[in-house]
């Protein structure tokens, strides 16, 4: 596709439910990142994939958060037993290769836990 | 851990003014520094990428500079327009992740 695509754009869920957020990176980009942004704050790192493997998951806040990228393209961020504090904008980015290339972000998924 | 700070947090200028946004980072061992624009409720749009070996990059009315040794980057916007109103974020890449500042909220008054 032309850019990074994230679906859904908005998600409202009840406390305790399970949610999945999807990211379609730019075709051919091997590096994929997930970030979380709270209102008025800068994005905070969650996880980085190089190909199919999670090269750095040090930003995942706890074991309720998990992400996969089984074929090295589309990635899914999974949140179990959602809490109100999980409400935020979830951003995905991709780049042709890690570290020294430009990162392109999607439009984000606004998650609201009620 | 890399800490990124952006000053000022908010800025309001009349249309046509030139302005400078500041970004500082604590760890000079970066691969690159990237400037982004974010409109309310939207994702991030990449503006400029400066590699660690470069001093500056230009795109249209935007010019970004990088001084690794002092841990600073600036984004210069010439002849500001109301359409430039947005939040501007800088991000320092140290390999596996980008470290973001909290942004500068810019308002250009017509």
């Amino acid at each position: 596709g032309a850019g990074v695509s994230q679906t859904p754009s908005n998600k409202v869920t009840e406390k305790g439910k399970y949610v999945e957020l999807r990211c379609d990176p730019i075709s051919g980009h091997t590096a994929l990142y997930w970030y979380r942004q709270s209102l008025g704050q800068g994005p905070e790192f969650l996880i980085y994939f190089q190909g199919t493997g999670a090269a750095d998951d040090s930003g995942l806040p706890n074991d309720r958060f998990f992400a996969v990228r089984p074929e090295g393209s589309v990635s899914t961020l999974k949140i179990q037993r959602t809490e109100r504090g999980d409400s935020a904008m979830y951003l995905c980015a991709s780049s042709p290769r890690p570290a020294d290339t430009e990162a392109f972000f999607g439009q984000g998924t606004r998650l609201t836990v009620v | 851990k890399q800490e990124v700070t952006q000053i000022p947090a908010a800025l309001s200028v009349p249309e046509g003014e030139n302005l400078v946004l500041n970004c500082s980072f604590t760890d000079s061992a970066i691969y690159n520094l990237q400037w982004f624009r974010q409109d309310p409720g939207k994702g991030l749009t990449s503006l400029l990428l400066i590699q660690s070996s470069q001093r500056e990059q230009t795109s249209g009315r935007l010019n970004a500079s990088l001084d690794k040794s002092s841990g600073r980057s600036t984004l210069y916007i010439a002849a500001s327009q109301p359409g430039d109103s947005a939040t501007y974020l800088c991000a320092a890449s140290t390999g596996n992740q980008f470290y973001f500042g909290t942004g500068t909220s810019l308002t250009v008054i017509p």
Side-chain angles (χ1 to χ4, degrees):
Chain A
V4 178
S5 176
Q6 291 188 247
T7 54
S9 56
N10 282 284
K11 176 71 176 178
V12 180
T13 190
E14 293 181 346
K15 179 176 177 295
K17 298 290 187 182
Y18 168 83
V19 296
E20 290 189 350
L21 311 180
R22 177 186 170 106
C23 173
D24 281 86
I26 293 173
S27 179
H29 283 194
T30 62
L32 185 145
Y33 310 82
W34 283 100
Y35 279 78
R36 178 168 71 173
Q37 185 178 26
S38 300
L39 203 59
Q41 301 297 314
E44 293 183 329
F45 172 76
L46 294 176
I47 188 169
Y48 155 62
F49 287 91
Q50 177 53 34
T52 60
D56 185 348
D57 63 359
S58 62
L60 294 177
N62 51 60
D63 61 6
R64 295 186 299 104
F65 288 74
F66 190 71
V68 296
R69 195 186 185 197
E71 298 179 356
S73 178
V74 171
S75 176
T76 304
L77 178 65
K78 308 180 180 190
I79 310 174
Q80 298 177 323
R81 303 183 305 280
T82 52
E83 300 177 356
R84 292 196 178 88
D86 298 335
S87 296
M89 174 75 89
Y90 288 81
L91 297 163
C92 175
S94 71
S95 66
R97 59 182 185 274
D100 65 346
T101 56
E102 189 174 7
F104 297 89
F105 279 78
Q107 288 301 298
T109 294
R110 167 69 66 189
L111 176 66
T112 303
V113 182
V114 297
Chain B
K1 180 187 172 185
Q2 178 77 270
E3 299 285 343
V4 178
T5 304
Q6 291 188 246
I7 295 173
L11 181 63
S12 184
V13 300
E15 181 178 2
E17 273 205 4
N18 303 325
L19 57 103
V20 174
L21 308 181
N22 297 290
C23 172
S24 61
F25 47 94
T26 55
D27 186 348
S28 63
I30 63 171
Y31 283 92
N32 62 55
L33 189 132
Q34 198 165 349
W35 282 92
F36 295 90
R37 168 187 172 134
Q38 186 172 35
D39 292 293
K42 303 296 185 183
L44 278 61
T45 299
S46 178
L47 297 174
L48 288 165
L49 170 75
I50 312 177
Q51 300 288 3
S52 61
S53 58
Q54 296 174 325
R55 297 283 293 182
E56 66 178 308
Q57 280 289 327
T58 298
S59 175
R61 295 183 294 109
L62 306 180
N63 175 276
S65 67
L66 175 64
D67 184 341
K68 269 186 55 176
S69 61
S70 67
R72 293 181 183 178
S73 177
T74 62
L75 178 67
Y76 174 84
I77 303 177
S80 58
Q81 302 171 357
D84 295 332
S85 297
T87 296
Y88 291 80
L89 294 154
C90 67
S93 172
T94 53
N96 291 350
Q97 59 178 283
F98 302 89
Y99 291 87
F100 283 86
T102 53
T104 294
S105 177
L106 173 66
T107 302
V108 180
I109 304 166

